[in-house]
Amino acid sequence: MNVEVILKEKGGDIISISPTASISDAAALLSGRKIGALVVTDGTSLSGILSERDIVRAIVTDGAAALGEPVSHFMTENVVTCSRVDTTLRLMDLMTGGRFRHLPVVEDGQVIGLISIGDVVKARISETEMEAEQLKMYIASG
Ligand code: AMP
């Protein structure tokens, strides 16, 4: 299974925030949408990614004052991205190697989706189930 199939199933909803928005706004968006990371964009290009872990770090570093600081202070700027054709195994490699749980999907310089570790696990389970089913049919046909 690849990113294209995963996006078809989950939809290409991208929840993003501006680098100038506050950490408090970001926390409210994460909580309201029940998600773990936001794509940070200035409207034209990908500026970074901000996850719940960055907000925890911000609070540990600056205390309550962190809530009024801009997203740009705590986001990760060097974002690892994936493409439409990447397989679940490739996504697992990227997430494990980079120790993060989110991958924006980029095409022609535009973010077209966001894959979370939950999406990858779901896709991998359905792949494994399909493989088991094929194996059962193969054994039964012999
Ligand atoms: P996560 O595990 O996705 O909650 O993120 C853990 C840390 O990795 C946070 O500092 C994120 O900003 C950062 N991060 C998340 N996704 C990516 C990504 N695709 N590329 C680079 N850094 C990321």
Side-chain angles (χ1 to χ4, degrees):
M1 198 178 286
N2 64 15
V3 166
E4 173 134 43
V5 177
I6 298 175
L7 283 185
K8 235 176 235 159
E9 277 174 22
K10 73 169 271 190
D13 241 17
I14 304 147
I15 301 164
S16 63
I17 194 160
S18 154
T20 58
S22 67
I23 291 292
S24 168
D25 286 342
L29 196 51
L30 289 174
S31 165
R33 303 299 291 257
K34 297 186 169 60
I35 53 171
L38 297 166
V39 166
V40 185
T41 170
D42 57 9
T44 51
S45 58
L46 181 63
S47 312
I49 190 161
L50 184 89
S51 95
E52 53 202 358
R53 291 207 179 160
D54 299 315
I55 296 182
V56 170
R57 184 168 49 85
I59 290 167
V60 169
T61 310
D62 291 355
L67 295 175
E69 290 182 44
V71 162
S72 58
H73 280 192
F74 295 102
M75 69 186 189
T76 301
E77 282 182 36
N78 293 326
V79 186
V80 178
T81 61
C82 65
S83 80
R84 205 185 268 281
V85 295
D86 282 327
T87 62
T88 51
L89 292 180
R90 171 82 182 136
L91 301 178
M92 284 163 71
D93 265 359
L94 288 172
M95 286 184 180
T96 310
R99 294 174 173 268
F100 47 68
R101 299 166 294 176
H102 299 89
L103 277 167
V105 187
V106 172
E107 191 169 75
D108 299 329
Q110 297 295 312
V111 180
I112 58 164
L114 181 71
I115 305 281
S116 75
I117 198 164
D119 300 324
V120 179
V121 169
K122 194 172 160 216
R124 193 65 199 125
I125 288 171
S126 85
E127 271 175 356
T128 308
E129 281 171 356
M130 272 186 322
E131 282 161 15
E133 206 46 52
Q134 279 163 0
L135 211 52
K136 270 193 226 157
M137 277 162 53
Y138 174 70
I139 292 165
S141 71

